[in-house]
Amino acid sequence: MKVIAVAFGVMAQTLLPDPQVEKNIETMIVAKRNIDEQEAEKNNKKGNTTE
């Protein structure tokens, strides 16, 4: 009985979409934006304007 339950759980996880996927994508976009802004600030402090 446990084997059937585990198999069903594995199948459900692989076939159903992740409900947090949009939140995860948004988090990654915000993190990348913050990193890009920090790098731009460093370049401006050094006097490099290579944009």
Side-chain angles (χ1 to χ4, degrees):
M1 199 67 163
K2 282 186 179 181
V3 173
I4 294 171
V6 170
F8 178 76
V10 169
M11 292 299 291
Q13 287 286 55
T14 57
L15 298 177
L16 296 176
D18 183 10
Q20 299 292 323
V21 73
E22 289 182 22
K23 180 181 174 189
N24 293 342
I25 291 171
E26 183 64 28
T27 302
M28 294 303 294
I29 290 171
V30 169
K32 181 164 177 20
R33 189 178 305 140
N34 289 340
I35 291 170
D36 290 344
E37 289 174 359
Q38 289 174 357
E39 288 177 357
E41 287 178 11
K42 285 180 184 178
N43 287 338
N44 288 338
K45 286 181 182 178
K46 290 180 181 178
N48 298 338
T49 54
T50 56
E51 291 185 26

